[in-house]
Amino acid sequence: MIAGLALAVCLLAAGWLFLVGLYALLFPEKARAALAAMGSNWRIQLGEHIPRAIVGLAMVLHAPYSKLPDLFGIAGWFIVASSLVILALPMRWHNAYARWWAERIPTKALRFLSIAAFLLAGAMAYITL
């Protein structure tokens, strides 16, 4: 049952990455505003990092069944650890960092980065299955 749940979470995460890429492609200004809002309040902070940590744990649990178990496990632990570190740091640091990037990423670059999100989503789904 845990293995099936981990599989489902990994596939949902791949779908989420695809949707984020689509959003950035179609609405780059809104995507930039969403990026600037990261870490701006506890609801957003926890809404970003709790699901992110759950995906990381799912990757760790699913790693032995994936096509690249070592890579999947290491990436999963990195995601979990980085989420915990970001949650432990002052939230204003996270928000300042997010705003710094949002001010510097041009609209065309956001559209270009959506391609990376599509590729990552596809790779995650492929490696998961």
Side-chain angles (χ1 to χ4, degrees):
M1 182 166 137
I2 297 291
L5 187 58
L7 170 68
V9 169
C10 290
L11 290 175
L12 281 171
W16 172 254
L17 282 172
F18 179 83
L19 291 175
V20 167
L22 190 61
Y23 191 75
L25 180 66
L26 298 175
F27 310 106
E29 291 299 327
K30 289 181 180 181
R32 183 194 331 256
L35 173 60
M38 294 296 111
S40 60
N41 63 54
W42 276 109
R43 187 180 59 153
I44 292 173
Q45 181 86 334
L46 295 175
E48 176 186 2
H49 288 286
I50 290 174
R52 190 173 180 265
I54 291 169
V55 168
L57 285 173
M59 290 172 69
V60 169
L61 292 171
H62 186 70
Y65 309 105
S66 71
K67 288 183 175 63
L68 296 171
D70 292 338
L71 177 67
F72 222 56
I74 291 168
W77 281 121
F78 176 80
I79 291 169
V80 170
S82 60
S83 285
L84 293 175
V85 167
I86 292 169
L87 284 171
L89 294 173
M91 194 168 48
R92 68 182 181 279
W93 292 4
H94 181 208
N95 182 246
Y97 184 69
R99 284 185 288 121
W100 187 87
W101 276 108
E103 292 167 3
R104 285 162 180 77
I105 300 176
T107 302
K108 287 182 183 180
L110 276 172
R111 287 195 166 125
F112 182 73
L113 288 170
S114 68
I115 296 167
F118 296 144
L119 293 173
L120 187 58
M124 185 166 180
Y126 175 77
I127 293 168
T128 298
L129 296 173

